[in-house]
Amino acid sequence: MRYNRATICSVSEISMNIVAVTACPTGIAHTYMAADQLSKHAPKLGIQIKVETQGAMGIENQLTANDISNADLVLIASDIKVEHMERFNSAKIKQVSIEQVLLDARSVLQGLLG
Amino acid sequence: MKLRSIDFMLGEQALPIQALGELRKLCGYFRSVVVLYNLSRRKRGDAQHRLQLLSVGSQPWDICQLQIEGPDSELAEMVLTEFINEHFCLLRCLRRSFIGEPKAPALPTTLTPPFELQFHYHRYRQDALYQNKATILATASKLITANFPSKLLQEFEKRESVSATVMGNGIALPHVINEWVPQPALAVIPLPQACDWGSRLGPVSLILALSLPKRPSREMVQAFARLSKATLVPAFCQQLLTCDSPLLLQALLRRTLISD
């Protein structure tokens, strides 16, 4: 087995702090599924995450200016244009498709750790 | 030896102690092994072991199955079907003579989400409806609306053109919010063979096509978000894919819509 930063990182050690936005065209399924997957896998990799959902129920768990400025990275998991992108102008952004997250959320997050 | 099963739904009190005692006693009359399988919790326990039954952690309205296997399983099935019918909500009528008049295949009102839901099930027929994604979506549209099937089909196709709605685990969940169908509707189409849905998540064998009205209520969105999140669980998808009873399939889906 190959060890990397992600696998040897214990849960108590936060290696990275990210904020994420999930969105999909209809906003009743994938938005919430992707948010679930990211929130589930991130702690296992020592990643602290806050996920904003932009679905049919509107924007929920909205990211604050403070959240964004404290984050090492902004992850956008979406197949459509995300609202209020201007918030992330000065942040490092990584964009992925919803399918990538559903296919293997762990790999997507591991990819962020570098 | 054939495994026999009885599908049912628990009531408000889940598994009351008194019913547990009676179940244990009845199972003691037979040589067959009887297992209670709670499909909603995905846990099972020997029906003759009280602790095992308790550790299943059944909750109100859970969908369960009694699985019976052994030399006298037919007789056990008859007796236990009557027991289930008395204490819980039986989800399938196996033989007419067991319990008198067969119940209409209706689900109890407790399985209704807090909004009206049109549920459609497509029985497999030997025709060309299942050739590809386009014909399957057309079938789903016709099931959901008699008035505007082509309009609804356009909406489904528009959504699919952005990204395929495969959830993984062999299930596709095409879903749209549209102005053509005033009530929430879910069309269930099991496929005789796996069909390519244009996604890296693999081919699909079960289609759950969903239509929500414009400006859906919060309850509707929450209910369907629960369903879509449930499709991330391989064991849940396996239950849906292997379910041969339309009534049980409907019960499993509705149970997911009403709560976690």
Side-chain angles (χ1 to χ4, degrees), chain A residues 24-30 32-34 36-37 40 56-57 60 79-80 97-100 102-103, chain B residues 159 162-167 175-177 199-201 210 212 218 221-222 224-225 228-229 231-232:
Chain A
C24 66
T26 325
I28 55 177
H30 293 99
Y32 305 103
M33 290 168 79
D36 237 36
Q37 288 293 82
K40 192 173 118 195
M57 290 190 281
E60 286 182 299
D79 298 330
I80 56 164
S97 71
I98 290 276
E99 192 181 70
Q100 279 173 278
L102 296 190
L103 199 62
Chain B
R159 172 62 188 84
V162 179
S163 60
T165 53
V166 177
M167 298 290 164
H175 52 280
V176 289
I177 291 179
S199 162
R200 280 190 297 155
L201 291 165
L210 168 72
L212 283 188
R218 196 177 173 81
V221 178
Q222 280 174 335
F224 289 103
S228 45
K229 280 192 267 187
T231 60
L232 289 169

Side-chain angles (χ1 to χ4, degrees), chain B residues 5-11 14-16 19-20 22-24 26-27 34-37 47 53 62-68 76-94 98-99 103:
Chain B
S5 59
I6 307 167
D7 307 329
F8 61 104
M9 189 182 86
L10 302 181
L15 272 181
L20 279 185
E22 201 176 325
L23 175 64
R24 225 174 111 206
L26 286 175
C27 292
V34 183
V35 170
L36 178 109
Y37 179 34
L53 286 185
D62 276 357
I63 311 296
C64 295
Q65 210 169 45
L66 276 188
Q67 300 176 335
I68 310 159
E77 184 189 6
M78 281 171 62
V79 172
L80 292 171
T81 301
E82 280 207 40
F83 162 79
I84 292 295
N85 195 40
E86 200 177 304
H87 291 84
F88 306 101
C89 175
L90 190 60
L91 286 175
R92 183 157 51 172
C93 215
L94 295 165
F98 280 9
I99 47 169
K103 272 190 187 170

Side-chain angles (χ1 to χ4, degrees), chain A residues 46-64:
Chain A
I47 297 175
Q48 188 176 326
I49 193 167
K50 179 171 174 183
V51 188
E52 173 182 301
T53 53
Q54 296 188 2
M57 290 190 281
I59 295 181
E60 286 182 299
N61 203 24
Q62 189 157 14
L63 301 175
T64 63

